[in-house]
Amino acid sequence: MNNLDDQIEPVIALDDDSVMQYLLQNPDFFIRNARSVEQMHVPHPVKGSISLVEWQLGRQRHQIAQLEEEITLLMEQASVNESLFGRMIELQATLAAASSLQDMLNRLQRWARSLGLAGANVRLFSEGWRIGAPSDFTHLAVSRSAFKSMRIQRLGEAPHYLGSLNGPELLLLLPQAKAVGSVALSLMGEQGELGVLIFSSRDPQHYQPGMGTVLLDQLAKMLPGLLERWIERV
């Protein structure tokens, strides 16, 4: 009788991790116990309980539905990208045909308005371009130091900002604009050192964080080269 406790095998406490480890170490478990597996039932929020096989089939159907949804989204995105690429080519050709800097800026403005926007503007950092007096385009200049606080608060490390601006910010970038609800700001230059491209909308909800920036990326990369036709870089 003194050895009774020694003869009783210790009870192994099972938890999710233990069961999972056993199944991983015994991959043929379900093959060896196929009949028992077919008789297993698991809880179901609607049917009460369903067989393990039916539960697995349901998971597979759900995964297939998710894959189909992802494929649909990818196809839609591809269609959007194709449309954006077409617009980009059209705008590039239009801007390249400009006879002067003002003509180019006017063409950019008309293109933006054709998309239902309030306008498009370019502000150039005075430290990167020769646009001081007697230049005719001093109104495009903004100092990098004046823009610094806005860059930190609105863009951080990102090259774009989409959303609303407050009064002082609008006065700095768009002093002549009226009824600006939201904007898309894009820094120009590899380090954002050349200036800011600004698209504005009267709708406060038109530009919002999280929106795509593919077109903005391409325009911000394209414009400096076109601007150099009319303005000399420092």
Side-chain angles (χ1 to χ4, degrees):
M1 295 298 292
N2 293 334
N3 297 328
L4 182 60
D5 293 339
D6 296 335
Q7 297 175 8
I8 299 175
E9 295 183 359
V11 177
I12 301 175
L14 292 178
D15 55 20
D16 289 358
D17 288 338
S18 300
V19 175
M20 184 62 66
Q21 288 299 321
Y22 176 82
L23 293 176
L24 290 174
Q25 295 169 6
N26 297 270
D28 60 342
F29 172 84
F30 290 103
I31 297 176
R32 291 187 284 104
N33 299 276
R35 181 167 298 180
S36 297
V37 170
E38 291 176 357
Q39 297 173 354
M40 290 182 181
H41 283 71
V42 296
H44 189 274
V46 177
K47 299 180 181 180
S49 67
I50 57 175
S51 70
L52 189 60
V53 174
E54 186 179 356
W55 176 77
Q56 180 63 22
L57 288 174
R59 285 199 63 191
Q60 292 176 345
R61 292 191 196 99
H62 179 67
Q63 290 172 347
I64 291 172
Q66 284 185 317
L67 288 173
E68 290 177 343
E69 183 177 349
E70 290 174 3
I71 291 172
T72 300
L73 290 174
L74 286 173
M75 293 177 65
E76 291 175 352
Q77 187 60 50
S79 177
V80 170
N81 288 341
E82 182 179 1
S83 175
L84 290 176
F85 180 75
R87 290 179 180 178
M88 185 68 188
I89 294 298
E90 175 189 350
L91 177 60
Q92 187 172 16
T94 297
L95 298 182
S99 58
S100 66
L101 177 57
Q102 188 59 57
D103 183 27
M104 189 183 80
L105 296 176
N106 290 341
R107 288 169 182 250
L108 179 62
Q109 185 81 274
R110 288 195 296 270
W111 181 80
R113 288 177 176 172
S114 73
L115 300 178
L117 300 174
N121 297 83
V122 172
R123 300 305 302 273
L124 305 177
F125 294 142
S126 53
E127 296 87 346
W129 303 85
R130 300 189 187 282
I131 49 178
S135 166
D136 293 332
F137 298 100
T138 55
H139 62 283
L140 298 179
V142 61
S143 72
R144 195 177 298 146
S145 58
F147 181 74
K148 183 178 180 179
S149 62
M150 186 189 305
R151 180 170 184 170
I152 294 173
Q153 294 178 16
R154 297 298 187 181
L155 291 95
E157 298 297 324
H160 309 289
Y161 168 74
L162 297 96
S164 60
L165 297 178
N166 59 36
E169 292 169 338
L170 287 172
L171 187 62
L172 176 67
L173 294 181
L174 300 171
Q176 306 301 322
K178 298 179 181 179
V180 175
S182 58
V183 300
L185 306 181
S186 295
L187 296 176
M188 296 186 292
E190 293 185 5
Q191 304 298 324
E193 76 282 5
L194 297 181
V196 191
L197 171 64
I198 311 152
F199 288 98
S200 57
S201 172
R202 295 182 179 86
D203 181 0
Q205 303 301 318
H206 186 86
Y207 288 116
Q208 300 181 47
M211 296 176 64
T213 58
V214 175
L215 186 60
L216 293 174
D217 274 322
Q218 296 302 314
L219 287 174
K221 292 176 182 177
M222 177 186 72
L223 276 176
L226 294 173
L227 290 167
E228 286 184 30
R229 297 172 59 195
W230 318 107
I231 308 175
E232 184 181 357
R233 291 270 300 274
V234 173

